[in-house]
């Protein structure tokens, strides 16, 4: 459930041995009395051949005036724990174990790390579908007054001042990152589609949904269920439009003009109403009524069956089920 984050450990107990493992970055642009050091931290554990290790960025700020250190930890702790291309969502048990491991790697007591202040926080879930659900991004319509950006039929981002709400094709993101050939992507997505839903918080202090509830790692631990409930609550505010059903999307993708024409006819009949459509047909030449009635009734009934299972209901149900699963302790 938790993914990218940035948190701060004040009064970090740095020693000479620790400092020697960092690279000097220079002075802070905001305060010349603060010197900045950087290094990247990976897990020492063997994550297996399929999982490439992921690094967390460590930024150490030394205040020459007061003689203390602040440590900023930034990156995806989910990827750090599971591996760069692992799609598993954090559950409560693994999150707690991750913080325990991280405290050892940082050389500080676990209770100190738990009290680290969170400034950025990303939560989300990855939902597994079959190929027919690939068109779901087309149905994600609106969120509050946030600016909407779309990326073909693969993703939607609602951009706010302090956070974004994002939906995207997770497999596409992984393969873009790995710079794989298109045929590799086509092969793995033949029968699979992974849809990622995220709340990407850039300023926790400016988010009503997060502020004072999950602004430390300890509060995240104590309010784990709240994070899951917030994902569902935020999703409830996202508007979907019934553009196309999963079955219809598969039939239309790469299909002929005939399929598209029939689908648009169906949508037109649905918008006008079946009874009004029949009344319009009755105004036609009597010699053409029977054939026209048969044709349009056939198109309507065929697509009505395909349209009964809509993306929104199924997606909301799967998100609720996934959240319930990862919130259990």
């Amino acid at each position: 459930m938790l993914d990218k984050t940035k948190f701060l450990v004040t009064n970090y107990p740095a020693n000479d041995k620790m400092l020697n493992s960092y690279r000097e970055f220079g002075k802070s642009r905001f305060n010349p009395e603060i010197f900045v050091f950087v290094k990247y931290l990976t897990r020492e554990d063997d994550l297996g051949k399929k999982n490439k290790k992921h690094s967390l960025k460590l930024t150490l700020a030394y205040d020459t005036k007061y003689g203390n250190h602040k440590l900023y930890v930034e990156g995806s702790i989910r990827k750090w724990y599971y591996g760069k291309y692992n799609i598993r969502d954090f559950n409560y048990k693994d999150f707690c174990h991750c913080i325990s491991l991280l405290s050892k790697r940082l050389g500080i007591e676990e209770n100190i790390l738990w009290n680290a202040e969170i400034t950025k926080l990303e939560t989300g879930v990855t939902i597994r579908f079959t190929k027919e659900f690939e068109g779901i991004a087309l149905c994600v319509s609106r969120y509050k007054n946030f600016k909407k950006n779309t990326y073909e039929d693969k993703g939607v981002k609602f951009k706010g001042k302090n956070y974004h709400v994002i939906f995207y094709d997770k497999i596409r993101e992984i393969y873009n990152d790995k710079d794989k050939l298109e045929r590799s992507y086509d092969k793995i997505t033949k029968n699979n589609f992974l849809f990622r839903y995220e709340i990407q918080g850039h300023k926790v202090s400016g988010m009503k949904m997060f502020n004072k509830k999950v602004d430390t790692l300890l509060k995240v631990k104590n309010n784990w269920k709240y994070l899951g409930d917030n994902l569902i609550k935020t999703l409830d505010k996202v508007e979907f439009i019934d553009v196309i059903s999963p079955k219809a999307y598969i039939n239309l993708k790469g299909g002929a003009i005939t399929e598209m024409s029939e689908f648009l006819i169906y949508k037109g009949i649905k918008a006008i109403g079946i009874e009004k459509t029949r009344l319009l047909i009755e105004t036609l030449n009597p010699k053409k009524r029977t054939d026209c009635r048969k044709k349009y009734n056939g198109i309507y009934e065929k697509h009505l069956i395909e349209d009964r299972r809509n993306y929104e209901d199924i997606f909301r149900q799967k998100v609720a089920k996934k959240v319930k699963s990862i919130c259990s302790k």
Side-chain angles (χ1 to χ4, degrees):
M1 184 159 53
L2 209 70
D3 206 321
K4 292 179 183 177
T5 185
K6 183 177 182 179
F7 52 86
L8 164 66
V9 179
T10 56
N11 295 316
Y12 181 65
N15 54 45
D16 290 340
K17 184 179 179 181
M18 288 180 183
L19 290 174
N20 288 335
S21 65
Y22 284 79
R23 174 176 58 86
E24 187 172 349
F25 190 75
K27 294 181 180 180
S28 168
R29 59 177 177 170
F30 303 108
N31 186 343
E33 294 181 328
I34 294 177
F35 286 82
V36 179
F37 304 84
V38 175
K39 83 169 183 177
Y40 293 87
L41 184 73
T42 57
R43 277 190 66 172
E44 291 179 333
D45 310 56
D46 183 10
L47 299 174
K49 293 181 180 179
K50 292 184 179 180
N51 280 314
K52 185 178 180 181
K53 290 186 178 182
H54 176 76
S55 299
L56 293 175
K57 182 181 180 181
L58 307 184
T59 303
L60 193 62
Y62 174 62
D63 192 325
T64 56
K65 182 177 180 180
Y66 296 101
N68 60 7
H69 295 84
K70 290 182 179 180
L71 178 68
Y72 295 87
V73 181
E74 186 172 11
S76 172
I77 59 173
R78 183 191 66 81
K79 290 179 181 178
W80 183 81
Y81 185 78
Y82 290 124
K84 188 171 184 179
Y85 301 121
N86 196 305
I87 62 169
R88 288 180 64 184
D89 291 311
F90 252 141
N91 56 43
Y92 177 79
K93 182 180 178 181
D94 286 352
F95 168 68
C96 292
H97 187 232
C98 173
I99 300 303
S100 180
L101 285 177
L102 191 55
S103 72
K104 292 181 176 65
R105 293 299 315 280
L106 294 175
I108 58 175
E109 294 180 12
E110 196 171 321
N111 66 310
I112 294 176
L113 185 57
W114 278 117
N115 285 290
E117 177 189 350
I118 296 174
T119 58
K120 295 181 181 180
L121 182 64
E122 180 181 290
T123 59
V125 288
T126 299
I127 306 299
R128 185 181 294 275
F129 289 108
T130 54
K131 180 72 172 178
E132 65 180 311
F133 281 82
E134 194 178 20
I136 188 172
L138 298 172
C139 300
V140 183
S141 175
R142 185 174 176 273
Y143 176 72
K144 289 185 174 181
N145 297 315
F146 283 33
K147 182 181 178 181
K148 180 181 179 181
N149 285 354
T150 57
Y151 309 95
E152 298 177 341
D153 60 346
K154 302 299 182 184
V156 179
K157 178 186 287 188
F158 298 100
K159 300 176 69 174
K161 181 180 178 181
N162 296 318
Y163 70 98
H164 301 336
V165 177
I166 309 170
F167 303 84
Y168 62 90
D169 179 345
K170 184 64 178 177
I171 301 178
R172 168 58 73 185
E173 182 212 35
I174 291 172
Y175 271 75
N176 281 352
D177 187 45
K178 294 176 77 172
D179 196 27
K180 290 284 186 179
L181 295 176
E182 188 67 25
R183 63 174 176 271
S184 300
Y185 171 78
D186 292 340
K187 183 179 179 180
I188 199 170
T189 58
K190 186 176 181 180
N191 298 308
N192 297 287
F193 176 66
L194 300 177
F195 199 52
R196 179 76 178 171
Y197 158 47
E198 291 177 352
I199 300 173
Q200 194 177 85
H202 305 117
K203 188 179 180 182
V204 169
S205 61
M207 298 171 63
K208 289 183 179 179
M209 64 174 73
F210 282 169
N211 190 24
K212 296 182 180 179
K213 296 183 180 72
V214 289
D215 52 0
T216 68
L217 289 173
L218 183 61
K219 286 185 180 180
V220 168
K221 178 183 177 183
N222 294 337
N223 295 300
W224 189 257
K225 187 176 182 299
Y226 171 80
L227 287 178
D229 291 341
N230 183 66
L231 279 170
I232 295 174
K233 185 177 179 181
T234 301
L235 184 61
D236 287 341
K237 296 176 183 177
V238 176
E239 294 181 15
F240 286 72
I241 53 174
D242 184 21
V243 175
I244 188 169
S245 71
K247 184 70 175 177
Y249 180 81
I250 289 296
N251 290 341
L252 289 175
K253 192 173 181 182
I257 294 175
T258 303
E259 282 82 5
M260 177 61 75
S261 298
E262 284 192 1
F263 179 73
L264 293 176
I265 290 169
Y266 162 71
K267 282 296 183 182
I269 294 172
K270 194 175 180 183
I272 296 170
I274 188 66
E275 292 304 321
K276 288 185 178 180
T277 302
R278 286 169 179 164
L279 288 174
L280 285 172
I281 291 173
E282 293 303 314
T283 65
L284 295 174
N285 186 311
K287 293 181 180 180
K288 296 183 179 180
R289 278 181 205 161
T290 302
D291 289 342
C292 188
R293 190 184 298 116
K294 185 177 179 181
K295 175 183 176 181
Y296 290 117
N297 280 346
I299 291 173
Y300 181 76
E301 289 171 5
K302 170 189 171 184
H303 286 276
L304 183 64
I305 293 170
E306 294 176 352
D307 212 19
R308 280 176 180 158
R309 293 182 75 225
N310 64 66
Y311 286 115
E312 180 180 0
D313 290 345
I314 297 168
F315 181 57
R316 291 188 190 280
Q317 289 168 12
K318 281 185 172 286
V319 169
K321 185 177 179 180
K322 186 68 173 287
V323 166
K324 183 179 180 180
S325 172
I326 59 181
C327 279
S328 59
K329 296 182 180 181

